[in-house]
Amino acid sequence: GAVVSQHPSRVICKSGTSVKIECRSLDFQATTMFWYRQFPKQSLMLMATSNEGSKATYEQGVEKDKFLINHASLTLSTLTVTSAHPEDSSFYICSAGIGGQSEAFFGQGTRLTVV
Amino acid sequence: AQSVTQLGSHVSVSEGALVLLRCNYSSSVPPYLFWYVQYPNQGLQLLLKYTSAATLVKGINGFEAEFKKSETSFHLTKPSAHMSDAAEYFCAVSEFTGNQFYFGTGTSLTVIP
């Protein structure tokens, strides 16, 4: 099946700094990618939809200036957590789909810890 | 609007016993339904999916699920639990035209030796 690679798998950063997470589709082109956040013991919540070549669409309650999404190519979307705070500590997962197919392919996730 | 409800945030079964994880959905259009498994600090692994073909879907690791439109359910079962089945399980629904997923709150499965 298709592979989505997410990097890094774990990152620890200081409060106030920014962190970039990459999501790559390795063997297919993805015009749309999705970013999810998962707090401990909770489900995955959609944060935003990343569209290649255009602005991302954010879900209600997600700060677009804090969670910057760039989808510069058909195989790469990045999520930058700016001015990170401890409450941003979470598990972030991206997914990508192939046009016309029902299944989405998920990255391995990134465990972000802000200290 | 679409939503997914997983009854029981924690399920414990004995090794060798039947596993039943419940999932109900609401959708305004015929949905695609999925079950994913997540091991600690890992991403999601697809167990199985329903995409309007056979209503009884067989997946990996001996799991299967049955789509029941009249009950808007997609319960996950496995005849005999194995210790390695202990994990978090998520039911999800997506629309026909997109890949945006709506997840249930998850069910943590514990297998007792």
Side-chain angles (χ1 to χ4, degrees), chain A residues 11-29:
Chain A
V11 59
I12 300 174
C13 70
K14 290 185 177 181
S15 185
T17 62
S18 295
V19 173
K20 179 184 287 187
I21 303 170
E22 293 187 348
C23 180
R24 294 181 183 272
S25 56
L26 297 187
D27 48 3
F28 67 100
Q29 294 182 331

Side-chain angles (χ1 to χ4, degrees), chain A residues 36 38 43 101-103 111, chain B residues 32 38 46 49 99 101 104:
Chain A
Y36 297 83
Q38 183 183 30
S43 188
Q101 294 191 22
S102 61
E103 184 174 349
R111 171 74 61 193
Chain B
Y32 289 174
Q38 184 181 35
L46 179 67
K49 63 179 179 179
N99 297 115
F101 278 56

